[in-house]
Amino acid sequence: MKHIRNFCIIAHIDHGKSTLADRLLEYTATISQREAQAQLLDNMDLERERGITIKSHAIQMNYKVGDIEYNFNLIDTPGHVDFSYEVSRSIAACEGALLIVDASQGIQAQTISNLYLALEHDLEIIPILNKMDLPGAMPEEVKDQIIDLIGCKREDIIPASGKTGLGIPDIIQAIVDRVPAPVGDPEAPLQALIFDSVFNSFRGIIAYYKVVNGEIKKGDKVKFINTGKEYLADEVGILKLDMAPRSVVKTGDVGYIISGIKEAREVKVGDTITTTARPSLDAIQGFEEVKPMVFAGIYPVDTDEFEELREAMHKLQLNDASIVFEPESSAALGFGFRCGFLGMLHMEIIQERLEREFDMTVITTVPNVSYIAHTTKGDEIFVNNPSDLPDPSKLDSVEEPFIKANIITKADFVGPVMSLCIQKRGTIVNQSYLTSDRVELVFEMPMGEIVFDFYDKLKTISKGYASFDYHQVGYRKSDLVRLDMLINDEPVDALSSLIHRSNAYDFGKKICEKLRELIPRQQFEIKIQASIGAKVIARETLSALRKDVTAKCYGGDISRKRKLLEKQKKGKKRMRQVGNVEIPQSAFMAVLKLD
């Protein structure tokens, strides 16, 4: 056990985690020259296309230092704030972390929040200054920032480059010297923490775990403590580039188990595995539940595919434990699911994965956050969907979730960033200069305001230099109203939204204008309205396609023309009563990109 080192790599987006992981794998000869490719651990097509890590990836490396052979278990983690749940799970399975900072960009918001996650779990932090080969690198300034942040010594910071391989031997040596070996009792009953799982269509569900106490052997009867289910361990082993079967996985090691589980609901990330022969009574503590931030409805385009969508969602939840969903139905779209995501990028990725991995074409409704409604009788109702909001006559007040947002940007962009946040109903809490050129701004703002396009706008006004990170600070009272969209007096529940009263008029007007562009014209007139309760606050009219019925009248009495037009008018009126309007998919998506 004293030759095992479990560590993860944490950093902001695009600071070179995956590239550095490639160099470590090559240096320890875990992969051959033939297997080598850039971002080797990012094995999903989507990750490669976008150049981001979405899933954590575990791999074991063996390396000899002197006469002693060490086992390194490396977990590469995502950097984006929407996947921070993956990071918290990886951290739970490690004793050390490599904190990577880009020498040309310095410390950014996600670096800080991932660092705090690691410090909460008492991990040993090894600071690394990456991308030293870039002409824009500022090693001395960035070193000062790292020392301010974690209070280490200057000589503890390792200069490195994932591209050229500079500093890789020093990193390996630092892992051996500084990262503590896992602590655990090999003689105790088995306790293993599940930190990830994947679905394999031939072998069922494969769970990845870290053995905290005891050991797990091939052929053992095992029990999952939270679900109470028992299985036979058909195959256990460790994670190399592919899975490598072993007869036993010992204390402190990270491995996998295949036990022929077919049901996705039976494996819970954060569960504890033990044996039935010598069961451990306690589950491992310290694993946080996921808190979804953004809710949206996902509906199959073809209503017959509801069951297939359910299966696809369960399989996806295995691979991404941070998605939460429950069935719901909508008058406009039929049966579907109400899903909770960690953010807008997360939602986009889930939608793309459903389309790619499971061939499901889906419609996504307007995303929103969850609110708490207080009724006049004193009841509390959780509102995940605007249509759940009680009638205004029974409503006392509504509370919405607030977040604390940390934005780090260059000094030149402080003005635009502040005005953006104030426009989004934010209040500034703190402003501090990290260096002469970098400012950290702390805002408190409503979660609902950043759901749509806040991050994109922030990137635009700061020329890509602002980094953004947030966490929830609880619920507060707000003057919120439900904005309904009516098309020919029929409410479209998939387009309704909860919005602050001060923004309702502008928002309603914009949606009406947008829908007028997107809905195809019919033989009859269509009225598009935005309303709060019974009060209509905006209206647009889509005029009818008309046939020129008076073409055959030339000259003659005006009353003949009028008679024909009146007849046509009656026909249009009857048509409007029976005709229904198809709303195209683009209309649901357009609401997200109103500006």
Side-chain angles (χ1 to χ4, degrees):
M1 240 174 77
K2 58 176 192 288
H3 298 149
I4 297 175
R5 298 285 184 273
N6 298 325
F7 63 96
C8 59
I9 301 184
I10 55 177
H12 190 78
I13 316 158
D14 220 14
H15 279 199
K17 297 178 288 300
S18 301
T19 314
L20 202 78
D22 291 350
R23 295 295 88 75
L24 288 170
L25 293 174
E26 282 166 20
Y27 186 77
T28 55
T30 308
I31 51 170
S32 62
Q33 213 58 45
R34 190 170 54 97
E35 293 166 321
Q37 54 169 327
Q39 276 89 33
L40 183 84
L41 294 176
D42 292 351
N43 50 14
M44 214 186 295
D45 299 344
L46 251 161
E47 293 182 313
R48 297 192 153 282
E49 276 169 33
R50 290 176 173 239
I52 56 175
T53 306
I54 294 169
K55 289 281 302 158
S56 301
H57 302 278
I59 189 164
Q60 189 174 81
M61 310 181 278
N62 299 65
Y63 188 66
K64 266 194 156 168
V65 178
D67 303 334
I68 308 167
E69 185 165 292
Y70 285 91
N71 284 353
F72 295 148
N73 290 311
L74 153 74
I75 303 179
D76 180 25
T77 65
H80 197 283
V81 60
D82 280 13
F83 306 112
S84 57
Y85 186 64
E86 287 283 331
V87 183
S88 75
R89 285 163 35 193
S90 311
I91 284 175
C94 293
E95 282 84 33
L98 304 184
L99 178 75
I100 295 183
V101 181
D102 184 329
S104 61
Q105 292 186 23
I107 283 175
Q108 307 221 302
Q110 206 49 38
T111 319
I112 296 175
S113 79
N114 284 344
L115 172 74
Y116 287 151
L117 272 178
L119 290 174
E120 273 170 34
H121 285 78
D122 293 335
L123 299 198
E124 177 63 39
I125 310 284
I126 300 176
I128 293 169
L129 203 54
N130 197 19
K131 304 199 184 180
M132 288 291 284
D133 56 315
L134 288 184
M138 318 171 290
E140 294 313 312
E141 288 171 41
V142 180
K143 273 184 185 174
D144 292 339
Q145 291 176 25
I146 297 175
I147 293 165
D148 284 348
L149 184 66
I150 56 176
C152 60
K153 297 195 181 82
R154 203 175 192 82
E155 55 272 17
D156 288 347
I157 303 170
I158 303 171
S161 161
K163 199 187 221 168
T164 60
L166 165 83
I168 300 297
D170 303 341
I171 294 174
I172 299 267
Q173 194 56 50
I175 293 166
V176 170
D177 297 342
R178 294 194 222 167
V179 176
V183 285
D185 182 359
E187 303 305 317
L190 170 71
Q191 278 183 313
L193 174 76
I194 300 178
F195 66 88
D196 206 356
S197 54
V198 289
F199 181 79
N200 182 319
S201 44
F202 302 109
R203 316 215 47 186
I205 289 159
I206 305 168
Y208 297 162
Y209 54 83
K210 176 194 175 186
V211 184
V212 179
N213 291 317
E215 57 186 32
I216 185 167
K217 294 190 186 72
K218 185 180 172 172
D220 275 352
K221 275 208 70 177
V222 296
K223 178 180 171 184
F224 288 30
I225 292 182
N226 282 356
T227 55
K229 301 269 193 237
E230 298 185 358
Y231 309 99
L232 190 72
D234 294 338
E235 185 183 303
V236 297
I238 56 166
L239 299 156
K240 290 282 198 182
L241 195 52
D242 298 314
M243 294 181 290
R246 298 280 187 269
S247 56
V248 58
V249 180
K250 296 196 159 118
T251 316
D253 241 336
V254 173
Y256 70 91
I257 178 170
I258 299 175
S259 47
I261 306 172
K262 294 286 183 286
E263 277 292 310
R265 301 167 195 73
E266 292 178 19
V267 177
K268 287 254 193 305
V269 168
D271 202 349
T272 306
I273 309 176
T274 187
T275 50
T276 50
R278 279 182 69 202
S280 160
L281 302 174
D282 314 328
I284 298 167
Q285 296 307 311
F287 211 85
E288 60 197 69
E289 274 297 302
V290 57
K291 293 195 285 285
M293 297 285 189
V294 174
F295 291 87
I298 286 188
Y299 293 86
V301 171
D302 183 358
T303 43
D304 303 344
E305 293 181 345
F306 176 69
E307 281 305 321
E308 283 117 83
L309 179 62
R310 185 198 294 273
E311 275 307 296
M313 295 293 282
H314 276 298
K315 284 177 184 168
L316 216 100
Q317 194 178 31
L318 265 182
N319 202 273
D320 181 351
S322 52
I323 174 174
V324 184
F325 61 92
E326 58 188 36
E328 74 163 359
S329 65
S330 143
L333 302 167
F335 289 104
F337 292 99
R338 186 94 199 140
C339 305
F341 307 98
L342 296 181
M344 289 299 277
L345 177 71
H346 189 208
M347 175 173 136
E348 209 178 301
I349 296 286
I350 293 288
Q351 202 179 341
E352 276 205 35
R353 286 183 68 183
L354 280 170
E355 286 180 10
R356 287 189 187 199
E357 294 171 30
F358 304 100
D359 287 335
M360 298 291 313
T361 34
V362 293
I363 295 175
T364 316
T365 64
V366 183
N368 60 3
V369 296
S370 60
Y371 300 89
I372 300 175
H374 294 275
T375 61
T376 44
K377 288 182 180 171
D379 298 339
E380 271 195 10
I381 304 171
F382 267 94
V383 181
N384 284 341
N385 198 343
S387 55
D388 302 343
L389 194 71
D391 193 62
S393 60
K394 297 174 185 159
L395 194 63
D396 181 37
S397 63
V398 183
E399 294 185 0
E400 62 177 333
F402 266 67
I403 56 158
K404 193 173 222 170
N406 290 30
I407 298 171
I408 296 180
T409 181
K410 285 194 154 186
D412 318 354
F413 306 119
V414 171
V417 169
M418 275 191 178
S419 58
L420 172 70
C421 292
I422 290 163
Q423 184 190 335
K424 297 280 188 189
R425 298 193 285 134
T427 48
I428 188 155
V429 179
N430 191 6
Q431 172 182 1
S432 54
Y433 278 78
L434 301 173
T435 65
S436 59
D437 194 31
R438 294 165 63 79
V439 190
E440 181 181 22
L441 301 166
V442 182
F443 284 92
E444 282 187 358
M445 53 207 296
M447 179 78 201
E449 292 285 342
I450 66 157
V451 167
F452 289 127
D453 49 1
F454 177 77
Y455 194 57
D456 296 344
K457 280 186 180 164
L458 182 69
K459 286 284 183 208
T460 312
I461 59 173
S462 66
K463 302 200 171 95
Y465 274 111
S467 64
F468 169 68
D469 176 50
Y470 60 86
H471 57 270
Q472 268 189 305
V473 291
Y475 285 78
R476 295 181 194 173
K477 272 190 190 171
S478 284
D479 183 13
L480 296 169
V481 289
R482 182 169 98 209
L483 184 73
D484 289 317
M485 297 306 300
L486 308 171
I487 292 182
N488 274 355
D489 299 321
E490 286 290 315
V492 183
D493 57 352
L495 286 174
S496 59
S497 54
L498 275 175
I499 190 160
H500 197 265
R501 197 182 291 272
S502 61
N503 296 343
Y505 178 76
D506 289 343
F507 190 69
K509 195 164 167 46
K510 276 183 187 162
I511 292 192
C512 286
E513 285 167 3
K514 199 78 177 175
L515 288 178
R516 186 180 164 203
E517 289 167 24
L518 293 166
I519 293 175
R521 285 173 73 184
Q522 307 284 347
Q523 291 282 324
F524 50 89
E525 179 183 280
I526 299 171
K527 59 178 178 184
I528 302 164
Q529 295 166 310
S531 75
I532 297 172
K535 183 183 176 193
V536 174
I537 58 166
R539 166 173 173 156
E540 291 284 331
T541 309
L542 194 60
S543 53
L545 291 167
R546 310 189 75 144
K547 181 181 167 191
D548 187 3
V549 286
T550 58
K552 60 187 177 191
C553 302
Y554 45 94
D557 193 358
I558 182 73
S559 60
R560 289 179 60 201
K561 275 189 181 177
R562 196 166 290 144
K563 192 173 159 190
L564 285 168
L565 287 170
E566 285 297 324
K567 190 177 167 191
Q568 183 187 34
K569 199 169 167 184
K570 277 185 188 155
K572 296 280 180 200
K573 191 175 174 185
R574 194 174 322 117
M575 217 187 242
R576 182 159 80 217
Q577 285 164 355
V578 295
N580 63 354
V581 184
E582 284 284 309
I583 301 173
Q585 157 77 24
S586 57
F588 294 107
M589 295 317 292
V591 180
L592 308 184
K593 304 185 174 75
L594 270 182
D595 301 320

